[in-house]
Amino acid sequence: GRSARMSRLVGNNPMLLLLTVDHLEETVEFLRGIGLDSAALRTLLQTCPAILGLSRDRNLTPTVAFLTEEVGLDAAVLSRCLRRHPQILALSLDNLREKVAYFRAVERAAGATTAAPR
C-alpha cells in the first residue's frame, strides 16, 4: 500500500529527507507548471526521485528552456516526453547539447544523402 511505497521511496532515496519542505513544494509546483499532473508526478517519484533534489533555478528551468527554445518542443510534447522519461530533467545541459548536436548532424547527413542525385 501507500506506506510500503513511501518506505521504498525513502529507503532507496534517503537524500529526500534532507530536502526542505519549501524546496519540495517549489519543485513540485514547477513540475506541475510544465504540465505534469499527479499521475506523472507519481511516475517521476518512482523512476527518478532525485529530480526532487534539483535546483529549480540552476537545473530545471535551464533544462526546460533548452528543450523548448533550442530543441523546439512545445508544451504538450515536452509534457509527454517527461511523462515517459522524467530522468531527462536530470541530464546536464552539456549532455543535452551534445546529443542534440549529434542528432542534427545525423539529420543533415541523411538530408544530404537523400538530396544527392542518383
Side-chain angles (χ1 to χ4, degrees), residues 27-50:
T27 303
V28 169
E29 181 181 317
F30 177 86
L31 295 169
R32 286 188 188 282
I34 59 170
L36 298 181
D37 59 14
S38 294
L41 288 171
R42 200 169 19 263
T43 299
L44 179 141
L45 278 173
Q46 293 167 351
T47 60
C48 197

Side-chain angles (χ1 to χ4, degrees), residues 65-86:
F66 175 78
L67 293 170
T68 56
E69 297 166 15
E70 299 294 321
V71 178
L73 301 182
D74 65 28
V77 173
L78 176 65
S79 179
R80 188 171 62 244
C81 287
L82 295 177
R83 287 172 202 276
R84 291 181 184 154
H85 302 286

